[in-house]
Amino acid sequence: EYGATSNNTVANIGTIICQPEFSHMFSQYYSNLSTLFHKHFVLTKHLTSKRNRHDKPWITVALAKCCHKKSTLYKRWRSSRGRRSETEAYDAYHTYRSILRDLITTPYSALIPLL
């Protein structure tokens, strides 16, 4: 019948798999397959972000942390839409955003006396 296997067939497959020629053929097949896979499906992500720190040397570690905090406040405001806490979350985000924008647009040389 279709789909039925006998113990004899399973034994034959086991002996075929254990032969060194089969092992060599399978390793050759697998290496070819993995080579083609890595060639056509590149797993590295090419970053084209404009937030590169090398392009913006005035963004210090502290300012980067502040940007992350602003992002967190924004996410909190977006998730609180339609709730009672929406106005508090928006006010916190809006004031932090305006202060951070002023700090980033101020030249780095003007920030040195403030540090």
Side-chain angles (χ1 to χ4, degrees):
E1 293 181 24
Y2 179 74
T5 58
S6 66
N7 288 339
N8 195 15
T9 307
V10 173
N12 287 341
I13 291 173
T15 57
I16 290 171
I17 290 174
C18 292
Q19 291 180 358
E21 298 90 25
F22 179 80
S23 177
H24 175 69
M25 287 173 28
F26 179 76
S27 64
Q28 200 172 25
Y29 165 76
Y30 185 76
S31 68
N32 289 342
L33 183 67
S34 65
T35 302
L36 287 173
F37 179 81
H38 291 299
K39 179 181 176 183
H40 294 287
F41 300 103
V42 179
L43 299 178
T44 58
K45 186 175 182 180
H46 298 289
L47 298 176
T48 58
S49 174
K50 294 187 179 182
R51 294 182 278 174
N52 194 350
R53 289 181 48 119
H54 299 292
D55 294 339
K56 300 177 182 178
W58 64 90
I59 302 291
T60 61
V61 175
L63 284 176
K65 288 181 182 179
C66 290
C67 290
H68 180 70
K69 182 176 179 181
K70 180 188 69 106
S71 167
T72 305
L73 288 172
Y74 176 75
K75 289 174 188 172
R76 190 175 301 152
W77 169 56
R78 294 288 294 182
S79 66
S80 70
R81 287 219 169 156
R83 297 185 189 148
R84 294 180 188 181
S85 62
E86 179 183 359
T87 56
E88 294 102 18
Y90 176 74
D91 290 339
Y93 165 69
H94 186 71
T95 41
Y96 201 85
R97 181 186 67 178
S98 63
I99 292 170
L100 183 61
R101 186 183 300 146
D102 290 341
L103 284 175
I104 290 175
T105 56
T106 305
Y108 182 72
S109 59
L111 288 176
I112 290 176
L114 298 176
L115 299 177

